[in-house]
């Protein structure tokens, strides 16, 4: 497609920019796609039962990015805490800080059966449906970020793809739906009568391209809808192509859920069959009975053309894809490998397609789990690492010729990944990128200070609103410790890691999406210490000015001249990390533990005048002297001279202010393998275990909460997380897997299997925080601890003392990028109204996972 320059107004930036650039300019190429381009309109999963054509809207303007770990949400709080609340037209919900009445107003759909009005920005939509009977249906909505259905939260369809389908049991009588409008001022909602209790849906399928040169079993993923009250157990998916069938047993699915499950695909070796082919899928029960069928299209290609590959992720067992621009040299061996990370709204396929083939290397483009994804942080970071590892096994590149580049949000990913894993790359090239996500978001507020009063008025920003937006905020001690969990993402604190490699900065001269001033600031910062960087502004370049916005020949010339150094050639280097759990090692030195958790740690190493090591905020460090192949027998660490064996790895620990040789730290302690904070629970083939031993209300809530998180991880991360009843969980069956428990010690029977000796115990109406007692049903908690029966796995806990605490814990912003969660968070039911000030305690366990050696704040 072809776009002219787009001037993005500041007001649109506030409502439409999430993880990064959502609208960009381009003249050629097809890298940037609009959200909603692939929107599903046709219903193939059943018959249309009802279209919501009238409703109520409540506009609550919010000019700030609502990505806080604890965003305020007074509307959902009202519906959650007051289940009988039913708004009517002209009802006053509240009065905002400007004195304006916030009122519910009647809205109606347009000719497309969508609520579509610019006034819906920053709004909530209330819909209702009277059902004559109790009935199971599919709720299909798009354009919303969250929805409460009869008081239970569900994931939305922020990007208006039309993908979301929620099985639910309508109550006889009034059913209430409260939708929070997403990035676009439009909402569509309808009810579908499902055609069969268990069925495929082709909304959001992940497929590889079948490569005729490769004889292998491929992996794909498709969503299955279970609208029954029963578990789908021991079912298999059989795929058939060219008469060849492969079967695969899928994970068990809970009632009233939709899950994206893997299946196997046979290879095709006939080079005459290039192009699209039919892939027939059948779902069969344990007894072999046919449950459902579908036929989808799959591409058959040569591996020497641009193509897609899939892999099974270690994060959650899901199937992810990445795209490849293969080398033009079909006989290439020991070539280079280029990792290219895409921008917001860009598919990995389009990212790879923007590059011409290189004769000296292969280019791979991971997905960040979604085109919008996680800004290459959190699970986007893990996706990039998994793809890089997978591609290395396929292409067997020269280990010294690995490079990193990306555009827009991918430019941020380049700055971030390059700083976080500096020894992975010989050179990096951020294009139209910003180094720090939160600073980028905050920059739009500061830009308003340069606007005239007339400009501000045109965007609806009064002097009072501007004053509120730009008022200086002094963070509290509680806010500081919560924000500290985000230290690994504060790229500028890791800036000296760029010394590991060459840096080529490419930016458009008049980019108004990622302002050129950001690139110029990085040029100034690098100029103060970096001896090997190049900076280029493309004349008259906007944000996207054609495929050469990424496929810029001077970048690849720059890459070709640089290699990752051998350990024996390194005379000195330094390394910084925010957490060993995110990044611990550079070359031959590993930081295993920190003195202060999630405060930047670093070391500086030199062998120019004997081995010397200077550390900061390091408790345990390892040096692999065998990699150096030197005759030195001593090392000086922070002024302490220590004799060493130069043919093996040696661990050093700070004891009473002095360094000494020690044993490798126990895997039961914190380390690179398992370090917190709370988000770290959602990896390592994680499984959700929900409570069934409580009251019917508790059981319903915790089941729905686990399902809500699974829905969110599917939508945001193209994920699949297995859900398990507490009574069906066993340590042996789920050995060495991370577990997230939903419930407390009184209602989740798996609690004592996993958390019996945990210093934090939560029961109905009470929290015991290492001897500190709190009573009432209003408390909610998130925390992470090591799994005692495993050296690698963790247990995440989503828990509450009662109904108020459960509802306060509904917001799963721990699955949103840019949010920060330490090891432990304790809060009460006011968190929805007051945000972070309602957090009672937050902090980090010590390196031995104890409270006593940890760092906690209390309110």
């Amino acid at each position: 497609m072809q776009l002219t320059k787009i001037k993005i107004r500041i007001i649109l930036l506030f409502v439409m920019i999430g993880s990064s650039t959502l609208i960009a300019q381009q003249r050629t190429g097809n890298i940037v796609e609009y959200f909603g381009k692939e929107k599903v309109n046709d219903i193939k999963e059943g018959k249309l039962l009802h279209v919501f054509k009238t409703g109520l809207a409540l506009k609550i303007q919010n000019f700030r990015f609502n990505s806080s770990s604890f965003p305020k949400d007074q509307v959902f709080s009202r519906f959650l805490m007051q289940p009988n609340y039913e708004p009517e037209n002209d009802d006053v919900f509240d009065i905002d800080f400007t004195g304006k009445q916030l009122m519910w107003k009647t809205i109606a759909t347009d000719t497309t059966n969508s609520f579509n009005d610019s006034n819906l920005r920053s709004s909530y939509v209330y819909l209702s449906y009277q059902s004559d009977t109790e009935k199971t249906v599919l709720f299909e909505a798009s354009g919303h970020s969250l929805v409460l259905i009869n008081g239970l939260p569900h994931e939305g369809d922020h990007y208006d793809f039309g993908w979301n389908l929620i099985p639910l049991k309508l109550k006889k009588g009034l059913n209430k739906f409260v939708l929070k409008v997403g990035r676009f001022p439009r909402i569509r909602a309808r009810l579908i009568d499902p055609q069969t209790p268990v069925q495929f849906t082709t909304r959001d399928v992940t497929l590889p391209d079948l490569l005729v040169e490769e004889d292998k079993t491929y992996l794909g993923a498709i969503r299955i809808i279970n609208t029954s009250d029963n578990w789908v157990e021991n079912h298999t998916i059989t795929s058939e192509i060219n008469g060849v069938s492969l079967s695969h047993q899928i994970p068990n699915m809970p009632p009233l859920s939709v899950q994206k499950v893997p299946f196997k695909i046979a290879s095709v070796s006939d080079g005459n069959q290039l192009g699209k082919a039919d892939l027939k899928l059948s779902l069969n029960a344990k007894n072999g009975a046919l449950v459902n069928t579908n036929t989808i299209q799959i591409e058959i290609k040569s591996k020497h053309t641009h193509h897609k590959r899939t892999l099974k992720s270690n994060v959650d067992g899901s199937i992810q894809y990445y795209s490849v621009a293969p080398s033009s040299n079909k006989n290439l061996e020991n070539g280079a490998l280029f990792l290219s990370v895409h921008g917001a709204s860009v598919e990995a396929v389009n990212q790879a397609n923007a590059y011409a083939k290189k004769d000296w290397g292969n280019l791979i483009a991971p997905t960040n789990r979604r085109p919008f994804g996680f800004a290459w942080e959190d699970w986007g970071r893990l996706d990039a690492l998994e793809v890089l590892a997978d591609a290395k096994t396929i292409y067997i590149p020269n280990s010294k010729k690995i490079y990193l580049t990306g555009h827009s949000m991918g430019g941020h990913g380049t700055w971030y990944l390059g700083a976080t894993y500096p020894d992975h790359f010989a050179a990096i090239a951020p294009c139209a990128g910003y180094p720090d996500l939160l600073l980028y978001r905050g920059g739009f507020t500061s830009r308003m200070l340069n606007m005239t009063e007339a400009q501000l008025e045109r965007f609806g920003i009064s002097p009072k609103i501007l004053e509120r937006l730009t008022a200086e905020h002094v963070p509290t001690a509680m806010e500081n410790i919560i924000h500290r969990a985000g230290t690994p993402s504060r790229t500028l604190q890791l800036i000296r890691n760029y010394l590991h490699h060459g840096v080529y900065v490419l930016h458009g001269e008049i980019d108004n999406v990622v302002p050129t001033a950001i690139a110029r600031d990085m040029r100034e910062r690098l100029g103060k210490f970096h001896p090997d960087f190049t900076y280029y502004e493309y004349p008259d370049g906007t944000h996207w000015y054609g495929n050469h916005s990424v496929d810029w020949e001077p970048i690849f010339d720059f890459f070709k001249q640089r290699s990752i150094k051998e350990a024996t050639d390194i005379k000195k280097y330094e390394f910084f990390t925010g957490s060993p759990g995110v990044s611990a090692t550079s070359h031959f030195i590993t930081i295993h533990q920190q003195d202060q958790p999630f405060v930047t740690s670093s070391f500086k190493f030199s062998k120019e005048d004997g081995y010397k090591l200077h550390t900061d905020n390091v408790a345990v460090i390892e040096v692999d002297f065998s990699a150096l192949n030197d005759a030195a027998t001593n090392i000086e660490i922070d002024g302490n001279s220590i004799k060493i064996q130069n043919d093996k790895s040696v661990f050093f620990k700070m004891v009473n202010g002095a360094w000494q040789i020690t044993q490798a730290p126990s895997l039961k302690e914190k380390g690179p393998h398992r370090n917190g904070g709370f988000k770290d629970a959602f990896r390592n083939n994680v499984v959700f275990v929900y409570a069934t031993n409580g009251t019917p209300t508790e059981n319903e809530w915790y089941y729905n909460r686990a399902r809500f998180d699974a829905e969110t991880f599917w939508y945001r991360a193209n994920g699949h997380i297995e859900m398990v009843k507490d009574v069906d969980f066993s340590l042996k069956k789920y050995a060495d897997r991370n577990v997230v428990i939903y419930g407390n010690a009184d209602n989740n029977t798996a609690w004592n299997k996993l958390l019996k000796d945990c210093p934090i115990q939560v029961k109905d109406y009470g929290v015991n925080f290492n001897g500190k007692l709190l009573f009432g049903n209003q408390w909610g908690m998130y925390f992470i601890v090591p799994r005692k029966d495993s050296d690698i796995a963790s247990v995440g806990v989503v828990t509450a003392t009662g109904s108020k605490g459960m509802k306060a814990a509904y917001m799963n912003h721990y699955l949103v990028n840019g949010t920060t969660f330490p090891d432990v968070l304790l809060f009460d039911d006011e968190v929805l109204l007051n945000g972070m000030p309602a957090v009672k305690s937050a902090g980090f366990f010590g390196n031995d996972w104890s409270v006593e050696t940890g760092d906690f704040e209390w309110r």
Side-chain angles (χ1 to χ4, degrees):
M1 66 182 179
Q2 192 172 19
L3 302 179
T4 58
K5 294 180 183 178
I6 301 172
K7 292 185 177 179
I8 301 181
R9 296 183 176 182
I10 192 73
I11 194 70
L12 292 181
L13 289 170
F14 277 109
V15 296
M16 295 190 68
I17 293 181
S19 25
S20 179
T21 309
L22 303 189
I23 296 178
Q25 310 93 342
Q26 72 180 73
R27 294 177 180 140
T28 62
N30 66 342
I31 190 171
V32 179
E33 300 285 356
Y34 281 104
F35 290 122
K37 184 176 187 295
E38 302 174 3
K39 184 170 182 176
V40 175
N41 291 302
D42 295 337
I43 296 173
K44 299 180 181 179
E45 298 81 8
K47 295 181 179 179
L48 182 62
L49 176 67
H50 176 75
V51 177
F52 292 93
K53 294 189 175 184
T54 61
L56 297 172
L58 174 69
K59 188 177 185 67
I60 298 183
Q61 189 66 60
N62 179 17
F63 290 98
R64 290 191 182 277
F65 291 109
N66 198 11
S67 61
S68 165
S69 302
F70 290 93
K72 299 176 185 179
D73 198 323
Q74 56 186 316
V75 179
F76 275 22
S77 178
R78 179 78 60 88
F79 282 98
L80 284 167
M81 301 304 178
Q82 300 177 24
N84 295 324
Y85 177 59
E86 295 178 30
E88 295 182 357
N89 186 46
D90 288 336
D91 277 359
V92 176
F93 178 82
D94 199 359
I95 299 174
D96 69 12
F97 71 91
T98 67
K100 179 184 177 182
Q101 290 188 125
L102 305 176
M103 301 175 65
W104 290 100
K105 291 291 184 182
T106 299
I107 56 173
T109 57
D110 59 16
T111 55
T112 67
N113 287 326
S114 298
F115 301 103
N116 196 347
D117 191 309
S118 60
N119 287 324
L120 286 179
R121 297 192 190 281
S122 303
S123 293
Y124 294 79
V125 172
Y126 172 80
L127 306 172
S128 62
Y129 180 76
Q130 285 283 347
S131 181
D132 295 334
T133 61
E134 184 179 272
K135 182 178 178 64
T136 299
V137 299
L138 291 171
F139 177 71
E140 187 246 54
S142 57
H144 61 304
S145 59
L146 288 170
V147 58
L148 282 181
I149 303 177
N150 291 332
L152 294 174
H154 291 272
E155 177 63 9
D157 187 11
H158 328 211
Y159 302 97
D160 205 27
F161 285 153
W163 284 353
N164 227 339
L165 295 164
I166 299 173
L168 67 106
K169 189 166 289 187
L170 292 174
K171 300 186 299 183
K172 182 179 180 180
L174 180 66
N175 294 266
K176 295 187 288 187
F177 305 79
V178 187
L179 294 79
K180 190 172 185 178
V181 178
R183 297 175 179 273
F184 307 103
R186 57 180 180 265
I187 290 283
R188 182 183 72 191
R190 45 195 188 181
L191 300 176
I192 299 169
D193 186 7
Q195 66 180 1
T196 184
V198 180
Q199 61 177 305
F200 292 118
T201 176
T202 55
R203 305 187 191 204
D204 183 32
V205 179
T206 297
L207 292 174
D209 293 327
L210 307 185
L211 307 176
V212 293
E213 297 88 355
E214 296 184 354
D215 183 11
K216 57 178 287 187
T217 297
Y218 292 86
L219 292 172
I222 190 169
R223 294 166 73 210
I224 295 177
I225 306 170
N226 179 12
T227 55
S228 75
D229 292 326
N230 303 313
W231 279 76
V232 172
E233 298 180 312
N234 300 312
H235 281 48
T236 59
I237 293 179
T238 299
S239 72
E240 179 186 336
I241 186 166
N242 285 352
V244 180
S245 298
L246 289 179
S247 296
H248 182 68
Q249 184 169 317
I250 65 172
N252 294 341
M253 285 182 57
L256 296 174
S257 68
V258 183
Q259 293 199 348
K260 192 169 184 178
V261 297
F263 63 91
K264 295 177 180 177
I265 310 168
S267 61
V268 174
S269 59
D270 185 354
N272 294 320
Q273 290 190 304
L274 299 178
K276 293 184 182 295
D278 285 342
L279 181 67
K280 299 177 182 178
L281 301 179
S282 61
L283 179 65
N284 296 85
K286 181 179 180 181
N287 61 6
L290 182 64
V291 176
N292 197 234
T293 62
N294 214 311
T295 300
I296 55 181
Q297 295 268 285
I298 193 166
E299 290 274 358
I300 301 172
K301 292 185 174 182
S302 166
K303 70 177 183 179
H304 300 298
T305 62
H306 288 66
H307 60 268
K308 293 186 299 182
R309 293 183 178 273
T310 55
L311 59 85
K312 184 177 181 180
S313 171
N314 292 322
V315 172
D316 56 354
S318 64
I319 306 303
Q320 304 297 325
Y321 92 84
Y322 62 96
S323 201
V324 181
S327 173
S328 58
N329 180 358
K330 295 183 178 180
N331 300 312
L332 179 69
E333 293 183 2
N334 201 35
L337 188 63
F338 313 106
L339 181 69
S340 179
V341 290
H342 65 72
S345 85
V346 177
E347 278 283 356
V349 168
N350 290 339
Q351 183 75 7
N353 286 348
Y355 292 92
K357 297 178 183 180
K358 314 299 176 190
D359 60 3
W360 62 288
N362 296 284
L363 183 140
I364 56 172
T367 67
N368 189 23
R369 285 295 188 110
R370 285 296 193 195
F372 30 94
F374 298 98
W376 299 106
E377 301 175 11
D378 299 328
W379 300 276
R381 165 182 67 86
L382 296 177
D383 179 67
L385 294 179
E386 287 189 325
V387 167
L388 182 60
D390 189 70
K392 284 181 178 180
T393 66
I394 295 171
Y395 298 106
I396 315 176
N398 183 331
S399 61
K400 305 304 176 186
K401 294 287 186 179
I402 312 295
Y403 306 93
L404 172 66
T405 186
H407 178 266
S408 192
M409 182 183 75
H412 162 64
T414 303
W415 284 120
Y416 167 70
L417 293 168
T420 305
Y421 305 105
D423 64 340
H424 285 37
F425 308 105
I428 68 172
C431 307
Y434 48 90
D436 189 287
L437 175 64
L438 298 189
L439 289 178
Y440 172 59
R441 288 173 171 171
F444 293 107
T445 303
S446 61
R447 286 170 65 184
M448 288 191 299
L449 295 174
N450 297 321
M451 297 175 68
T452 66
E453 189 171 329
Q455 288 174 318
L456 291 169
E457 184 178 350
R458 192 165 72 246
F459 299 134
I461 302 175
S462 68
K464 184 173 287 190
I465 292 174
L466 182 63
E467 180 183 4
R468 178 70 66 95
L469 287 172
T470 57
E472 182 179 0
H473 174 69
V474 179
T476 64
M478 184 69 72
E479 289 173 315
N480 281 332
I481 202 164
I482 293 174
H483 292 154
R484 217 168 87 191
T487 299
S489 295
R490 302 286 71 79
T491 313
L492 293 179
Q493 293 186 32
L494 314 178
I495 192 170
R496 291 187 65 84
N497 283 350
Y498 297 131
L499 286 168
H500 284 65
H501 42 233
V503 180
Y504 192 109
V505 183
L506 176 64
H507 216 95
E509 182 186 25
I510 53 174
D511 189 339
N512 62 356
V513 176
V514 179
T516 310
I518 292 176
R520 292 170 181 169
D521 176 70
M522 286 304 290
R523 176 182 60 185
E524 182 178 350
R525 291 175 187 269
L526 292 172
K528 293 177 180 179
F529 72 93
H530 203 296
D532 183 24
F533 79 95
T534 295
Y535 180 91
Y536 184 75
E537 284 183 19
Y538 191 84
D540 291 324
T542 52
H543 190 60
W544 177 259
Y545 42 86
N547 286 348
H548 51 295
S549 302
V550 290
D551 195 13
W552 181 237
E553 187 175 353
I555 284 178
F556 289 88
D557 290 340
F558 183 87
F559 283 172
K560 187 175 288 188
Q561 298 167 25
R562 285 154 182 82
S563 301
I564 299 173
K565 288 184 177 180
E566 296 282 358
T568 52
D569 294 331
I570 297 174
K571 304 300 181 184
K572 63 179 180 178
Y573 77 109
E574 52 194 273
F575 173 71
F576 294 74
T577 181
S579 165
V582 173
S583 176
T585 301
S586 177
H587 296 290
F588 47 87
I589 300 178
T590 300
I591 296 174
H592 280 263
Q593 294 179 350
Q594 300 174 293
D595 283 327
Q596 281 188 284
F598 285 81
V599 173
T600 302
S601 300
S602 65
F603 66 76
K604 296 181 180 179
F605 173 82
S606 172
K607 63 176 185 178
E608 292 180 329
D609 185 21
Y611 290 165
K612 291 185 179 180
L613 186 63
H614 174 77
T615 71
D616 186 36
N617 192 36
V618 176
V620 177
I621 194 166
E622 174 191 6
V623 182
D624 182 6
F625 293 104
S626 66
L628 296 175
N629 195 28
D630 283 339
T633 57
N634 285 72
I635 186 172
E636 183 182 296
I637 308 179
D638 297 331
N640 303 136
S641 182
I642 304 172
K643 289 187 177 181
I644 57 159
Q645 291 180 267
N646 58 22
D647 60 347
K648 66 178 185 179
S649 281
V650 180
F651 292 84
F652 302 93
K653 183 176 184 177
M654 176 70 75
V655 179
N656 298 324
W659 286 97
Q660 63 183 38
I661 294 177
T662 187
Q663 297 294 318
S666 168
L667 293 176
K668 300 299 181 183
E669 298 181 359
K670 283 190 172 183
H673 63 297
R674 184 170 59 184
N675 198 66
F678 178 67
K679 285 186 175 185
D680 201 48
F682 295 85
R683 64 177 185 89
N684 190 32
N685 203 13
V686 60
V687 57
F688 289 173
V689 180
Y690 62 90
T692 65
N693 198 43
T695 66
T697 299
E698 287 177 327
N699 293 344
E700 179 186 42
W701 182 269
Y702 281 120
Y703 169 70
N704 189 80
R705 180 54 202 262
R707 180 176 58 173
F708 175 35
D709 280 1
E711 289 172 354
T712 300
F713 211 69
W714 157 71
Y715 189 87
R716 292 181 178 272
N718 191 26
H720 167 262
I721 297 181
E722 186 177 355
M723 291 174 58
V724 179
K725 292 180 184 178
D726 53 356
V727 294
D728 293 334
F729 175 79
S730 73
L731 298 176
K732 183 178 180 180
K733 183 177 180 181
Y734 298 95
D736 283 331
R737 292 175 64 177
N738 281 17
V739 177
V740 177
I741 274 193
Y742 296 84
N744 63 37
D746 283 335
N747 54 44
N748 192 309
T749 59
W751 185 283
N752 282 340
K753 294 178 182 178
L754 293 162
L755 300 164
K756 183 179 179 180
D757 300 320
C758 179
I760 299 172
Q761 293 294 318
V762 182
K763 297 185 176 184
D764 291 342
Y765 289 90
V767 174
N768 184 333
F769 195 122
N770 202 45
K772 294 182 173 68
L773 303 178
L774 289 167
F775 298 100
N777 77 341
Q778 75 272 29
W779 300 106
M781 290 197 77
Y782 306 137
F783 63 90
I784 184 173
V785 291
R787 185 170 162 174
K788 294 295 186 180
D789 65 324
S790 172
D791 287 337
I792 59 173
S794 300
V795 181
V797 184
V798 178
T799 185
T801 59
S803 59
K804 289 185 177 179
M806 288 189 301
K807 292 177 179 180
Y810 96 93
M811 180 63 82
N812 57 0
H813 265 222
Y814 45 77
L815 297 179
V816 175
N817 67 292
T819 58
T820 57
F821 288 81
D823 294 348
V824 180
L825 283 156
L826 169 65
F827 47 89
D828 63 23
D829 60 326
E830 293 184 359
V831 74
L832 288 173
L833 293 176
N834 299 321
M836 212 170 288
V839 175
K840 181 69 174 177
S841 181
F844 302 91
F845 293 111
N847 286 323
D848 59 357
W849 289 101
S850 74
V851 174
E852 291 84 356
T853 61
D855 188 358
F856 293 89
E857 288 290 341
W858 286 82
R859 171 175 60 84

